[in-house]
């Protein structure tokens, strides 16, 4: 059974940093088409945060995190990471790791948040 397991969430003050990690179980990120992170706050719609297009080797970021967050993957460890700096209270949400065998389609999958696989999420809380 394919599983994605996130870790690294927590509570930080505004301006702080966190690094989220996602491990694939029976799932290899390097064999995906598109991998990424999305988030969802209570009462709000899901938001794509960042993606990596495995086919094209390109990354895409939501406007609200560009310059603050960095997505990366480690093929040896089979992990997908999200380095989050300069965190703001508005970044508070459940963060999910996600993957799909198809490509990202530019920023289509980032905006649509349409992934075949997703993890259970890790909570990020940023206080002011």
């Amino acid at each position: 059974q394919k599983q994605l397991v996130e870790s690294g969430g927590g509570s930080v003050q505004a301006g702080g940093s966190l690094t989220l990690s996602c491990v694939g179980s029976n799932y290899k990120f390097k064999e995906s088409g598109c991998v990424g992170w999305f988030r969802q706050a209570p009462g709000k719609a899901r938001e794509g945060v960042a993606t990596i297009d495995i086919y094209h080797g390109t990354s895409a970021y939501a406007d609200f995190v560009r310059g603050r967050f960095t997505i990366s993957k480690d093929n040896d460890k089979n992990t997908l990471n999200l380095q989050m700096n300069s965190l703001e209270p508005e970044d508070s949400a459940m963060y999910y790791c996600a993957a799909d065998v198809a490509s990202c389609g530019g920023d289509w999958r980032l905006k649509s948040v349409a992934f075949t696989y997703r993890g259970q999420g890790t909570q990020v809380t940023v206080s002011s």
Side-chain angles (χ1 to χ4, degrees), residues 18-91:
L18 283 173
T19 300
L20 307 184
S21 291
C22 176
V23 177
S25 176
N26 292 320
Y27 190 89
K28 294 183 179 180
F29 289 115
K30 65 180 180 181
E31 296 178 355
S32 302
C34 182
V35 295
W37 293 88
F38 68 92
R39 70 187 188 185
Q40 187 165 23
K44 294 187 177 181
R46 292 183 301 179
E47 297 179 306
V49 174
T51 59
I52 296 177
D53 189 306
I54 305 300
Y55 293 143
H56 299 99
T58 55
S59 301
Y61 293 89
D63 289 342
F64 53 79
V65 301
R66 190 173 290 115
R68 300 188 297 126
F69 292 9
T70 303
I71 188 172
S72 64
K73 65 180 179 66
D74 186 324
N75 290 336
D76 291 338
K77 296 180 180 179
N78 196 34
T79 58
L80 180 68
N81 306 305
L82 185 68
Q83 174 67 44
M84 306 186 296
N85 298 324
S86 301
L87 283 162
E88 304 167 352
E90 293 74 22
D91 295 317

Side-chain angles (χ1 to χ4, degrees), residues 5 11 15 40 73 94 99 105:
V5 181
S11 297
Q40 187 165 23
K73 65 180 179 66
M94 187 71 81

